[in-house]
Amino acid sequence: MANFKDLDALLQKYVDDGLPSCSCVIAKKGEILYENYFGYADIENKIPLTRENVFRQASLTKIAMYTTAMILYERGKFLMTDPIYEYFPEWRHSKKAVVKPNGDVEIVPTEHPITIKNVMNMTCGLPYHMILGGIPVRNPTANAMGEAMKPLLEKGYYTLREQIKAMAEVPLAFEPGTRWLYGFASELTAGLLEAIGGKPAELVIKETLFEPLGMENSANFTFGDIPQRLVKDYVLNRGKNLGDEDALSIVPADREAKMVGPLGTVPGFSRVITNCYDYTKLMQMLANGGVYNGERIMGRKTIDLMRCNTISQELIDRDFSNSYLAGYGYGYGVRTLMDKYVGHHNGSLGQFGWTGGSGTWAEADPSEGVSIVYMHNLQPNLEEYHHLRMRAVAYGCME
């Protein structure tokens, strides 16, 4: 079997090959089995990466956000069958784009309203405005998303509620519930947290999840000395390999400021900033039936609901199938392992997690109480190369 020296060697190779830095924490039933840090938080100033440094999570934020939503669900705050227009009245009369065989587009009312289930399992029919997912570039929904965002982007700063209101006029890419499409469902989920909690979603997550778990280095906004501990955000220059001398550039300060900043300064919904050690607290809670450090944070059966597959095999084959997602289905805000052979996955069936566009990855395995959290920050993230190798070695270390 593999051992943690093999994992050390792999992560060190990542850095030797040009990755700025990476870290990994593996825990089981409340005990940390492995924790290590490689490379530099700041290459130019030769500042080594340590436990204290924090990373941008991008879409790995979803595990925290959807866990918060599921906690509110088990407190009776909403039902999965609730139409979202009960929370956002402007969404009462949703429309969808129907592309005819001759290429003409017809905008017609949807047969059913978008429900919270459609939002929670990414079947509501809206991509991110900057990511088209599995729909064609000229798809009317993608075009309408871009047009709806233009006034907000020109404005510079906009609230999540303003963004949700603007998107209400966009025709959906399909009838709600009939296909899976990654994207704006997460903004709607964040909006639900705001509507239910009566405060910014960032604070709902912090108060419902981060504070009870003692995640003192985690938030959807910067605070204290977090800006000084945030790893530099690097971009792999077009046409370059990581090992090239001039491979990396630093994200400009003005662009960085639009992604991370104090509460109320980042447009729309801001993503989590955290580190492997802190996020392991969340993943250990999920891996161990909702309990962390002897305190119950959420119900075990609610976690089971969160990680159950919610999409048909037809949708998996059509919308949720590639070499990186192989073997997984999709639950509420997380992917869940359904087929080890198809996924070339040496973990356990039913383990669940997600990934982030900046190079972050996490999974929880309730059958063994195991969690694995890995992080680096690089754009593009080269996730398939780094994550799948790390995943294979990490699970190979499990007895």
Side-chain angles (χ1 to χ4, degrees):
M1 63 180 289
N3 59 52
F4 291 129
K5 290 183 179 179
D6 295 310
L7 187 55
D8 278 343
L10 179 67
L11 301 186
Q12 183 61 56
K13 182 179 186 302
Y14 288 173
V15 171
D16 292 343
D17 288 346
L19 192 67
S21 63
C22 62
S23 63
C24 183
V25 174
I26 302 173
K28 182 175 183 178
K29 297 181 179 178
E31 177 187 356
I32 290 181
L33 305 181
Y34 175 87
E35 179 181 6
N36 215 340
Y37 303 87
F38 302 84
Y40 293 100
D42 180 338
I43 295 174
E44 290 71 29
N45 294 301
K46 295 291 187 268
I47 299 175
L49 182 73
T50 70
R51 175 192 280 188
E52 303 307 314
N53 291 111
V54 293
F55 293 80
R56 303 154 197 80
Q57 299 308 301
S59 285
L60 199 65
T61 296
K62 287 177 173 57
I63 298 180
M65 180 170 66
Y66 285 89
T67 298
T68 301
M70 295 304 293
I71 290 173
L72 296 181
Y73 171 79
E74 70 175 10
R75 292 177 182 175
K77 301 296 185 181
F78 66 87
L79 294 176
M80 294 295 179
T81 52
D82 288 348
I84 64 167
Y85 65 68
E86 292 185 2
Y87 304 87
F88 315 123
E90 64 271 24
W91 286 72
R92 178 175 288 273
H93 303 293
S94 296
K95 294 180 173 59
K96 62 184 177 182
V98 177
V99 182
K100 297 182 177 181
N102 64 1
D104 290 344
V105 176
E106 185 179 4
I107 306 300
V108 301
T110 59
E111 298 170 29
H112 306 282
I114 298 172
T115 64
I116 291 182
K117 177 184 177 180
N118 300 144
V119 170
M120 295 278 284
N121 74 349
M122 294 278 179
T123 61
C124 71
L126 288 175
Y128 285 126
H129 74 277
M130 67 290 194
I131 300 176
L132 304 183
I135 63 178
V137 172
R138 293 184 180 178
N139 183 280
T141 297
N143 293 339
M145 290 288 289
E147 290 299 316
M149 282 301 300
K150 278 183 180 178
L152 298 179
L153 295 173
E154 291 170 359
K155 181 181 176 183
Y157 174 78
Y158 51 87
T159 66
L160 172 61
R161 192 65 186 85
E162 288 175 324
Q163 189 179 17
I164 289 174
K165 186 174 183 179
M167 294 302 114
E169 300 301 318
V170 173
L172 307 179
F174 45 77
E175 178 68 23
T178 61
R179 294 194 64 177
W180 187 92
L181 179 61
Y182 192 63
F184 195 74
S186 286
E187 270 61 30
L188 290 171
T189 301
L192 288 168
L193 299 187
E194 286 195 355
I196 293 168
K199 62 187 68 174
E202 290 87 341
L203 291 180
V204 178
I205 295 171
K206 181 175 184 290
E207 294 171 8
T208 305
L209 198 64
F210 294 160
E211 289 180 350
L213 284 169
M215 296 172 65
E216 298 177 351
N217 295 295
S218 304
N220 294 66
F221 48 87
T222 57
F223 61 94
D225 66 346
I226 288 291
Q228 288 72 49
R229 293 193 279 132
L230 185 63
V231 301
K232 280 195 175 180
D233 197 11
Y234 291 95
V235 175
L236 178 61
N237 296 324
R238 187 183 298 273
K240 297 292 182 179
N241 297 312
L242 272 178
D244 296 340
E245 185 175 344
D246 55 349
L248 301 178
S249 294
I250 301 173
V251 172
D254 59 341
R255 179 178 160 194
E256 176 79 343
K258 293 180 179 179
M259 296 189 292
V260 297
L263 180 65
T265 65
V266 178
F269 173 69
S270 56
R271 271 54 183 173
V272 166
I273 304 164
T274 188
N275 55 32
C276 284
Y277 181 77
D278 240 26
Y279 223 61
T280 290
K281 299 174 183 179
L282 167 59
M283 300 309 294
Q284 271 292 285
M285 183 272 287
L286 293 171
N288 290 285
V291 175
Y292 182 74
N293 271 354
E295 296 291 328
R296 178 161 295 282
I297 306 299
M298 68 186 297
R300 174 178 60 83
K301 292 185 178 295
T302 306
I303 296 173
D304 288 343
L305 173 62
M306 180 180 178
R307 68 189 178 106
C308 73
N309 177 51
T310 65
I311 57 177
S312 68
Q313 188 61 51
E314 178 184 0
L315 292 192
I316 291 174
D317 293 341
R318 182 168 59 177
D319 301 329
F320 196 73
S321 181
N322 58 44
S323 54
Y324 185 69
L325 295 173
Y328 290 99
Y330 196 77
Y332 291 119
V334 295
R335 61 186 173 193
T336 184
L337 184 62
M338 297 174 60
D339 191 321
K340 295 171 65 172
Y341 173 73
V342 170
H344 313 292
H345 199 309
N346 53 345
S348 304
L349 292 177
Q351 59 191 58
F352 65 103
W354 196 238
T355 185
S358 295
T360 53
W361 180 96
E363 278 193 351
D365 176 3
S367 68
E368 298 195 20
V370 168
S371 64
I372 304 173
V373 182
Y374 167 89
M375 293 179 187
H376 72 241
N377 274 176
L378 179 71
Q379 303 173 39
N381 61 26
L382 307 181
E383 62 185 5
E384 185 161 355
Y385 179 87
H386 294 97
H387 293 174
L388 299 192
R389 285 169 170 78
M390 173 277 305
R391 185 183 77 183
V393 177
Y395 285 113
C397 294
M398 299 292 104
E399 294 184 359

